[in-house]
Structures are given as structure tokens and as C-alpha cells.
Amino acid sequence: MPLEIVPYGREHEGMVQRFNDRMAAAGSRWRFYDSHRVDWVSKDGVADASVWRDYYVAVEDGAEVRGGYCLKHQKFRLFGENVWLASWQGPVSEGLVDRRYSRVAVMFFMHMERLQSNLYVWGGSEKLLGFLKNAEWHLTGTSVYLFVRNARPFARNFRPLRTSGRKRAALDMAAATGLADLGASAYRLIHQRRAAEFERISAFGIWADDIWAMATAQYDMVAFRDAASLNHLMAGDGWPEVVLIKVLSGGQPVGWAALKISKMEDDQRFGDMTVGSLVDCLALPGKEEMVVSAAVELLCDQGSDVIMTNVTHPVWDKALKRCGFFASKNRRTFGVSPSFGIKAGTGLVAGAHFTPIDGDGPRGL
């Protein structure tokens, strides 16, 4: 059964549909993209792109697809130098439901390493992370940050806390009696946020280039966030359907944020809550708290019960906590390939600025 890994083309779409049907019939929720056209940060028609994604599929005998993966290429600033990195997204293979194809994931891994040695992951399934650990990748746990606006629905819906009958009963009691509201209010009083001036925007302009130029020096590692890169990452007419805001001080731009509102239904983490998310952000040094404050104000006005984000750099950790977020540690994994880890240093995450947009985007939110 010869298997070949090739770029995903139009001629493979029917094979991918059959692959997805087989996965579903076997009880798996995993599937690959129905279309060969990249739905987010495509390189097509974009000159000098600093970020794009490619799709690859494993084809057996030229007749059936047995899996696929995505590689996201992106330009970063690393210790003041420009470097190209790639993030491995997916993969999904028929090996999840049929042992005959268990080698497909390894083939994907070897194929990816031939394309790019500077690799990272930002999040990932337990199986993927276990595979990378065995491959001697350098993995580090990072925090998820939550701001609880409406404590009663949070107590009733946030499933990571409702892991036993005793805990569910206690949380339901806290919601029914108002103790949950008291606890959340007390926490927010201790961690006050300052009012911030901001305006909604449809695209990034030259002002974003100025912020990028001044902000980048404080990070050991950060993906390019100049205006051109941002307008490609977060185009106003497509996924990830974010709300963009420019944050001002004295009428001058000091930062920006990309935000998203999602009404959940029976979500595995958030139940039926309305969830706001801070998808991406950047600020002039010392203005991070103003950006977080503006983001919280807009997301609360839009009806969020809870606001979440993932960031890695200490300046954003401090800003989030000062604005009333609490950190749930070791909830998302950052990892780098062995060769890149040697080159950049395994403690890199401590000085890196990563947000949800730096992985596979705000999938599921």
C-alpha cells in the first residue's frame, strides 16, 4: 500500500470527503478540510506574505486519502533578527480508527521536518503532544486567563470545575444563593481596571506599524505584527470574524486588540455561556493594561458571561491580572522542535509574546 504525501489539490477533494465519511462512520469527530482552498491566510494573490498556510494529504495508490495536515509558515522577530518558523496544525489520520494507517502520523512528521526545521506548536491534542514529547520536543505549559463577568452562569456551566457530583452540587448552591456573584465581585474589586479610550476599526493602518516598531524590542520572540501582516491575518470580511479596536491615550494610538464573541451551546468547556475572547493584542510598552481594559469593556458590553485568552509574556500576564483575570496554569502547551530549541533556547517561552492567533487561531470560539 504505497503512500505519498502531496500538496492538497482540487483532485483530492472527493478522496477527502470519503476519508471524512470513514472517520465519522468509525465514531471519530476528526476530519480534514473539505476544500483544497486555504480558508485562512492563503498565500494566493498576496505578495510578500509574512504568514500563510499550506495543506498536505497522504494519498494511497493515487486513489484514497488517509490523512492530512496543515503547516502554517510565519515570519518572526527572534532576539532582534528575522526568522521563518512554521507551526504544525492537525494532523488527522486514519490511523486514529484503523491501525493499518498508524504510520501516517510519523510520515507527516518526517515530511514536515524536511520542509522546515524551525518548528513550534501552540496548543494541541494530548496524542499530538505525547508524540512530540517522545520526539524530544521542548514542551512548556502556559496559562489560560479567565475574567468572570456573570458568576452564576459560570458556576453552572464551566465544566472544567464541575468534575464530580460534590463539586457540581457546591457550584449549583453558590449560583442559587448568590455566593458566586459575591466572590467574583470581590475579586474584581481587588483587581480594578482603568477606563480606556478606544474605537472600532475595520483594518490596520500606518499607526499599527509604529506600534509594532516600538513594541517589538521588549519581546525575545514575536510574530510579525505590522499592518500588512495583521490585515492578512485578520481580514475584515472573513474568518476569524474578529472585532478590531484601536486603543487611544490622549487621542494617540497606544495599542490594539482583536476580539471575538461566541454564543456557546453545550460546549465541552463553557456549556451554554456567551464567551468573549481576546484573540490578539499588542501595545506600546507600559500600555498593555489599557488594551486589556478596553477589551474587557467592549466584550462585557456585548454580553459576555466570561472572557478568556491565552498569552505567554509576563507584561501581559501582569496586565490581565490587574484587570481582574485569573490564571489557570499549564492549560495550553507551547513547544519547539529539538533543532529550533537548541538554536533559540529551551526557556524561550518566558520572553515570547504568543496569543491565540499565533497557533491555529481562535478555533471553537
Side-chain angles (χ1 to χ4, degrees):
M1 296 185 297
L3 279 163
E4 183 182 14
I5 299 174
V6 297
Y8 184 9
R10 184 187 301 275
E11 67 274 18
H12 302 120
E13 289 180 353
M15 303 179 202
V16 169
Q17 183 60 62
R18 293 194 296 272
F19 165 79
N20 289 336
D21 290 344
R22 291 194 300 272
M23 295 292 285
S28 174
R29 65 182 180 87
W30 292 100
R31 57 185 293 117
F32 200 58
Y33 298 100
D34 294 324
S35 173
H36 76 285
R37 294 188 177 278
V38 176
D39 65 341
W40 177 47
V41 288
S42 169
K43 194 177 182 181
D44 293 344
V46 181
D48 300 322
S50 66
V51 55
W52 71 90
R53 298 165 82 227
D54 291 328
Y55 296 160
Y56 298 91
V57 289
V59 182
E60 182 181 29
D61 294 330
E64 294 295 341
V65 162
R66 301 301 180 182
Y69 83 93
C70 171
L71 201 60
K72 179 186 174 197
H73 308 266
Q74 195 160 9
K75 189 180 348 180
F76 277 74
R77 188 69 55 81
L78 176 67
F79 299 120
E81 301 292 331
N82 296 341
V83 298
W84 285 95
L85 281 72
S87 108
W88 189 18
Q89 298 174 10
V92 56
S93 88
E94 208 155 340
L96 292 169
V97 298
D98 188 335
R99 290 183 180 179
R100 291 179 299 168
Y101 301 103
S102 59
R103 70 187 188 280
V104 172
V106 177
M107 292 177 64
F108 282 154
F109 185 71
M110 296 173 65
H111 182 263
M112 171 189 62
E113 285 195 315
R114 287 195 297 269
L115 294 175
Q116 172 61 271
S117 61
N118 294 335
L119 296 162
Y120 73 93
V121 293
W122 177 219
S125 67
E126 289 187 11
K127 278 195 172 183
L128 173 62
L129 296 175
F131 179 85
L132 295 179
K133 183 176 181 180
N134 290 335
E136 299 185 341
W137 278 47
H138 307 286
L139 305 177
T140 304
T142 65
S143 296
V144 169
Y145 296 84
L146 296 171
F147 178 96
V148 180
R149 176 177 178 249
N150 292 325
R152 294 190 188 196
F154 181 80
R156 292 192 176 106
N157 284 275
F158 191 59
R159 295 179 181 177
L161 294 180
R162 300 174 63 86
T163 54
S164 68
R166 181 176 295 180
K167 290 180 179 179
R168 289 192 292 272
L171 288 165
D172 288 342
M173 177 69 73
T177 60
L179 288 175
D181 283 328
L182 285 174
S185 297
Y187 185 84
R188 290 197 298 267
L189 281 173
I190 295 171
H191 303 82
Q192 293 285 351
R193 67 181 192 275
R194 298 178 294 178
E197 179 187 358
F198 66 91
E199 60 185 40
R200 293 179 65 158
I201 58 174
S202 58
F204 295 89
I206 294 174
W207 57 270
D209 290 329
D210 296 335
I211 291 172
W212 162 247
M214 297 181 70
T216 183
Q218 72 175 330
Y219 304 120
D220 293 342
M221 177 179 174
V222 57
F224 264 60
R225 283 177 166 85
D226 58 300
S229 299
L230 293 170
N231 286 328
H232 187 40
L233 271 168
M234 297 177 284
D237 58 351
W239 194 89
E241 299 175 345
V242 290
V243 174
L244 304 175
I245 61 172
K246 176 168 59 175
V247 182
L248 307 167
S249 178
Q252 298 301 311
V254 297
W256 54 264
L259 314 171
K260 190 171 175 64
I261 301 280
S262 304
K263 180 67 179 80
M264 299 300 189
E265 293 184 6
D266 197 27
D267 182 76
Q268 61 182 353
R269 293 171 296 170
F270 295 103
D272 298 321
M273 286 189 287
T274 297
V275 180
S277 51
L278 175 57
V279 174
D280 198 13
C281 52
L282 196 67
L284 298 180
K287 303 299 183 183
E288 294 84 6
E289 188 177 336
M290 295 181 66
V291 171
V292 175
S293 181
V296 169
E297 183 177 338
L298 187 145
L299 290 170
C300 286
D301 287 347
Q302 295 296 311
S304 298
D305 295 312
V306 62
I307 302 169
M308 73 159 294
T309 193
N310 315 112
V311 297
T312 56
H313 199 274
V315 298
W316 290 99
D317 172 87
K318 180 179 179 180
L320 287 161
K321 289 176 178 176
R322 286 180 61 86
C323 288
F325 285 76
F326 66 89
S328 181
K329 296 184 178 180
N330 297 319
R331 291 293 183 179
R332 193 175 192 189
T333 300
F334 175 85
V336 296
S337 60
S339 59
F340 182 59
I342 292 171
K343 188 182 304 182
T346 57
L348 180 63
V349 69
H353 177 49
F354 269 67
T355 73
I357 207 75
D358 291 310
D360 57 358
R363 297 282 175 184
L365 284 177

